[in-house]
Amino acid sequence: MTDSADTPPTPRSATAPPVAGMVGAGQLARMTSQAATALGVGFRVLAGDAAESAAQVVAGTWLGDYRSMADLREFAAGCDVVTFDHEHVPGPHLTALEQDGVHVRPGAAALRFTQDKLAMRERLAGLGIACPRFAPVRDLAGIQAFAGGSGGWPVVLKAVSGGYDGKGVWVCETAAEADDVLSHGIDLIAEEYVPFERELAVLAARSPHRQGAVYPVVQTVQRDGICREVIAPAPGLAPGRAAQAQELALRIAGELGVTGLLVVEMFETRAGLLVNELAMRPHNCGHWTIEGARTSQFEQHLRAVLDLPLGSPAPVAPAAVMANVLGGDDADVYDRYIHVMAGDPAVKVHMYGKPVRPGRKIGHVTVTGEDVAELTDRARRAASYLRWGKEDGE
């Protein structure tokens, strides 16, 4: 594993700023690097390839494999704290780094609950936190028994580990569909299908000194398992329910010992809130904070893992709408910038430097203002034009 200068990291002097190392070099690391520059702290990424999103722009890029203990140790040697833009580093490796004296934030014990969905469900259930009904399943008989005890089909099957962005989640309408999922030969849990009214998310931060901060509750709009839009704050959410969701996120962060960011994805149902998923890193639901909050999620994560005082999560406008830009059939996205920027100069465009593939997240746009319907329309039009070259595409 080597950095861009092909030399080992230089130990930090007593007067030098701290260095945060992020394992993973996707768009989350790319945007975190921008916050690190503004904060005046050092920033390094561990990338699998020099072409990855963050590796294109971060001078302190190290090439290595996050599954390699040797590569992780070499990378960590030049960092004051190690954090992550994904949840896939093997748990035993994280534990070994901590035993080496590395500041791993969030730590292995906390990250386990994002790496193992069964462990997460069991822990939350033990805390009395409302979640969808679940059970580990190993065969079709077990899935059918679960369906019989949870109101019938459909049944949601989830990979215990390795899933993200809708991958590793299957909504099965029949036993035959469930049997097809079983053929993948992976560990699964079954969950009841929840007829939710909408999906919400709460982004909280927690520092080693147990300072906490929580952002407004947002509404996320998912299509085909991919987050397409985020509306901040969630429109029409009763103040009491918003406070309940924020308090729940802070409670979970404390109970699980999270350092850094925690995202709690929830279902809003007629009966109340159900926790669906957890993430302990910057997250798609928080991209709006770059323009829409006093402190972006990326700066907040760095503040938290470096044990700096947390920044204000307060919004700077009554509302913000973020729309993801997905890849279309034409790779020349940049040729369409002129139309988007000229057509609506207040739209903020963020592109990730990723090769265009149909349906792949390659960027996002954010609009802030007052009228949610107007902001949503403007964000959709901009994202659609960047994808398709027309304003009315999906």
Side-chain angles (χ1 to χ4, degrees):
M1 178 174 61
T2 58
D3 65 3
S4 55
D6 200 28
T7 57
T10 302
R12 184 170 68 90
S13 71
T15 58
V19 175
M22 183 166 271
V23 177
Q27 64 262 27
L28 299 178
R30 183 184 179 112
M31 287 182 276
T32 304
S33 75
Q34 296 162 359
T37 297
L39 280 174
V41 300
F43 189 71
R44 293 180 173 142
V45 296
L46 178 62
D49 190 288
E52 291 180 23
S53 181
Q56 297 172 28
V57 298
V58 175
T61 293
W62 284 66
L63 298 181
D65 188 341
Y66 66 83
R67 295 160 296 191
S68 164
M69 191 68 242
D71 285 358
L72 287 169
R73 280 193 166 115
E74 188 176 356
F75 176 69
C79 305
D80 293 279
V81 62
V82 171
T83 189
F84 312 91
D85 85 341
H86 61 71
E87 293 91 2
H88 306 312
V89 179
H93 289 8
L94 300 176
T95 300
L97 287 178
E98 290 176 327
Q99 292 172 344
D100 290 346
V102 176
H103 294 301
V104 178
R105 294 174 177 162
L111 278 168
R112 174 170 176 256
F113 299 110
T114 66
Q115 296 177 325
D116 185 324
K117 285 185 168 56
L118 179 58
M120 181 264 287
R121 282 283 182 255
E122 291 175 338
R123 179 72 170 120
L124 294 181
L127 293 171
I129 294 171
C131 300
R133 183 175 174 269
F134 71 96
V137 290
R138 294 179 175 81
D139 52 32
L140 187 58
I143 297 173
Q144 290 175 314
F146 178 84
S150 62
W153 302 89
V155 167
V156 179
L157 296 181
K158 293 184 176 180
V160 170
S161 62
Y164 68 98
D165 251 1
K167 298 178 176 64
V169 179
W170 300 267
V171 179
C172 300
E173 300 282 350
T174 65
E177 291 181 7
D179 198 36
D180 184 60
V181 175
L182 285 168
S183 69
H184 297 315
I186 58 177
D187 292 336
L188 297 167
I189 61 171
E191 293 185 357
E192 66 174 319
Y193 180 81
V194 177
F196 56 85
E197 295 180 343
R198 60 177 169 173
E199 294 182 81
L200 304 174
V202 189
L203 180 65
R206 184 172 179 270
S207 73
H209 276 97
R210 300 181 183 178
Q211 183 187 11
V214 63
Y215 289 85
V217 183
V218 302
Q219 177 178 338
T220 62
V221 179
Q222 317 278 335
R223 288 200 288 274
D224 300 323
I226 298 175
C227 178
R228 298 293 294 273
E229 297 164 5
V230 174
I231 305 170
L237 186 63
R241 182 157 287 185
Q244 176 194 3
Q246 291 174 309
E247 290 167 2
L248 183 58
L250 288 170
R251 180 192 168 198
I252 292 172
E255 294 282 6
L256 302 188
V258 176
T259 298
L261 290 179
L262 170 71
V263 174
V264 182
E265 298 181 69
M266 303 177 184
F267 295 135
E268 184 180 21
T269 73
R270 291 184 179 181
L273 300 174
L274 295 179
V275 173
N276 181 33
E277 298 286 354
L278 303 178
M280 298 177 190
R281 51 172 171 77
H283 192 269
N284 200 175
C285 77
H287 291 353
W288 68 273
T289 62
I290 298 174
E291 286 83 27
R294 297 289 179 191
T295 308
S296 78
Q297 66 162 343
F298 303 100
E299 178 182 337
Q300 196 78 291
H301 186 67
L302 287 171
R303 286 182 179 227
V305 300
L306 291 168
D307 207 11
L308 298 171
L310 299 182
S312 169
V316 299
V321 176
M322 186 281 303
N324 281 316
V325 177
L326 305 184
D329 298 324
D330 179 5
D332 193 5
V333 176
Y334 297 93
D335 188 54
R336 297 190 282 278
Y337 267 29
I338 295 174
H339 174 91
V340 171
M341 293 179 175
D344 192 344
V347 170
K348 296 297 183 179
V349 179
H350 298 262
M351 301 302 289
Y352 306 151
K354 296 165 69 173
V356 175
R357 293 201 299 264
R360 184 188 200 187
K361 288 181 189 174
I362 58 171
H364 74 268
V365 299
T366 304
V367 191
T368 60
E370 297 184 4
D371 187 308
V372 170
E374 178 202 9
L375 298 177
T376 301
D377 179 66
R378 289 165 59 195
R380 286 176 178 173
R381 287 176 177 273
S384 175
Y385 198 88
L386 288 168
R387 184 182 188 186
W388 299 117
K390 57 184 180 180
E391 292 188 351
D392 57 353
E394 280 294 323

